[in-house]
Amino acid sequence: MDTAPVTAPGTKVPSNPERPAWLTRNVKVLSGVSFLQDAASELLYPILPIFLTVVLGAPPAVVGAIEGVAEGAASLTKVAAGRLADRFARRPLIGAGYGLAAVGKLLIALATAWPLVLVARVTDRLGKGMRGAPRDALLVEGVPAGQRGRVFGLHRAADTAGAVVGPLLGLVLYEALDHRLRPLFWIAVIPAVASVALVAAVRDPRTAEAGSSRTRTARTPWRSLPRPYWRVLAVLLVFNLVNFPDALLLLRAHDLGLSTAGVVGAYAVYNLVYAALSYPAGALSDRLPRPLVFAAGLVFFAVGYLGLGLIHSPWAVFVVLPLYGGFAACTDGVGKAWISTLVPDHQQGSAQGLYQGATGAAVLLAGVWAGLAWGTDGHLPLLVSGTVALVLAGVLPAVTRSGFSHR
């Protein structure tokens, strides 16, 4: 049975009964922006590990290190951007972030050695770090706290729909361009630039208030963030220490015998499941305690990692990777919605920035240790990570009990 949505202090509930309170202009526009950017990113992401190892001759450890360093750079930027998002206009930060991502894709197209790919990925991830917290703060602007799972669920669905379109487009172009990889990187620049242009349609209340005393708000100290927030953050940090970059999962799929086209196809199916389940998972988290939905995602994670570590047949990748898509659907948007309900409105940017930055730093460490431990087939780090995630799925609801609130 539905219950009336509970709003965070100071949240305004739209009076128009014909439109859901959560479906604001910014939710729709930013979902479109993310669709375009992810179509660009995911057009090249599944072929990047192959490009690095086969074309540029980089070892698997470099693949993990590049992704880890890139995520580490993004982590530092996310923390700073989150603080800025609580004090200044957010739209310029969002536009600059998507702009840097477009530049990163251009650099990959120009790369003839793996160090330039490292620079490109760091540039791209700096852009992601700059835009993430300001964008997420605008997504929940004026949205009741009890409906934020739907907001992030729809946004992740649109974002991941781009991750379906991108690889499929890349697969078609890969065949049409006689299996040449480099032209695909140039094509990826087009939707990336389009996403930057669409940011102009975002409405930022702080931009409209330029020149007033409300444009710049007082800086709040980290210690003022509520205790449940810190408890949830600590647990999620532990998990992300075993959540290494997906580039290594795709490398494992290639090592199992999948062709480049097969890897791209499997990745597209994974993203299709991710996109299809994101909104239902987000809506479910508005009705059930979010730690329970997140824990279900960890079970999907364990199935994906343990499965990839144990299988030996290439066809099995098309079974395991779609199941792994349930992990992303149950944790990505749900995690952001969960965090957003643990802090007041004026700390949304700082809370999201610290959460995304700290967990990104954990992914950096995960990418490094997994890359170094990869060996010839990567089964050891996959089995270790899958086992740890399964244990955390069992204890997560208990250790985050005070973070169950939907306020």
Side-chain angles (χ1 to χ4, degrees):
M1 182 174 66
D2 278 323
T3 58
V6 183
T7 60
T11 300
K12 297 180 181 179
V13 181
S15 59
N16 182 1
E18 298 180 358
R19 176 175 62 82
W22 60 271
L23 192 57
T24 64
R25 174 190 175 99
N26 282 345
V27 170
K28 291 183 283 188
V29 171
L30 288 171
S31 293
V33 170
S34 291
F35 170 83
L36 290 170
Q37 183 64 225
D38 227 46
S41 296
E42 303 300 334
L43 191 157
L44 58 86
Y45 188 76
I47 62 175
L48 192 58
I50 301 169
F51 179 70
L52 279 165
T53 56
V54 176
V55 178
L56 301 183
V62 167
V63 177
I66 284 177
E67 291 303 308
V69 170
E71 291 298 335
S75 300
L76 295 175
T77 312
K78 286 174 183 177
V79 175
R83 300 292 278 173
L84 292 173
D86 283 341
R87 303 188 66 208
F88 302 98
R90 293 153 176 168
R91 189 171 64 184
L93 291 170
I94 298 171
Y98 282 108
L100 280 175
V103 171
K105 292 168 179 60
L106 177 61
L107 291 176
I108 291 178
L110 295 170
T112 57
W114 69 258
L116 186 55
V117 176
L118 171 61
V119 173
R121 287 295 292 162
V122 169
T123 302
D124 183 286
R125 296 296 89 180
L126 284 174
K128 182 178 179 65
M130 183 177 294
R131 70 184 184 250
R135 180 198 62 210
D136 293 340
L138 275 184
L139 279 171
V140 299
E141 183 82 33
V143 176
Q147 297 182 3
R148 290 176 182 175
R150 294 174 175 85
V151 168
F152 286 109
L154 178 64
H155 179 260
R156 298 317 302 165
D159 183 277
T160 312
V164 175
V165 171
L168 291 179
L169 177 61
L171 184 58
V172 170
L173 293 172
Y174 177 73
E175 297 295 335
L177 296 171
D178 195 26
H179 294 186
R180 289 180 294 156
L181 296 177
R182 196 174 296 278
L184 301 182
F185 299 137
W186 290 105
I187 294 169
V189 175
I190 299 172
V193 172
S195 73
V196 179
L198 188 57
V199 172
V202 171
R203 286 181 178 170
D204 186 350
R206 292 184 180 172
T207 301
E209 296 162 0
S212 74
S213 59
R214 294 177 59 195
T215 304
R216 180 182 299 184
T217 59
R219 184 173 182 175
T220 55
W222 294 118
R223 63 179 179 274
S224 67
L225 290 169
R227 182 174 298 178
Y229 169 85
W230 291 108
R231 183 179 297 112
V232 170
L233 180 62
V235 176
L236 299 188
L237 275 177
V238 172
F239 161 65
N240 279 283
L241 287 171
V242 298
N243 179 21
F244 46 81
D246 287 348
L248 289 173
L249 303 186
L250 299 178
L251 184 61
R252 168 65 173 167
H254 189 254
D255 290 343
L256 284 168
L258 279 185
S259 65
T260 299
V263 171
V264 174
Y267 190 62
V269 175
Y270 151 75
N271 279 308
L272 182 62
V273 173
Y274 178 9
L277 295 181
S278 287
Y279 178 76
L284 184 64
S285 78
D286 285 337
R287 299 170 62 87
L288 298 177
R290 292 190 173 109
L292 294 181
V293 180
F294 200 99
L298 295 187
V299 174
F300 282 117
F301 177 95
V303 170
Y305 271 54
L306 292 174
L308 283 174
L310 294 173
I311 62 176
H312 299 286
S313 301
W315 64 264
V317 174
F318 285 89
V319 177
V320 174
L321 270 186
L323 291 173
Y324 178 65
F327 151 68
C330 291
T331 58
D332 197 349
V334 172
K336 293 177 180 178
W338 186 7
I339 289 295
S340 78
T341 60
L342 298 175
V343 298
D345 287 353
H346 71 277
Q347 291 182 320
Q348 285 296 323
S350 295
Q352 292 287 356
L354 182 58
Y355 161 63
Q356 296 169 30
T359 53
V363 171
L364 160 63
L365 297 177
V368 172
W369 76 256
L372 293 174
W374 195 255
T376 57
D377 57 11
H379 76 279
L380 178 60
L382 286 165
L383 296 180
V384 169
S385 292
T387 301
V388 172
L390 202 56
V391 172
L392 284 175
V395 303
L396 179 68
V399 298
T400 60
R401 188 173 304 277
S402 62
F404 278 26
S405 173
H406 287 212
R407 57 178 216 299

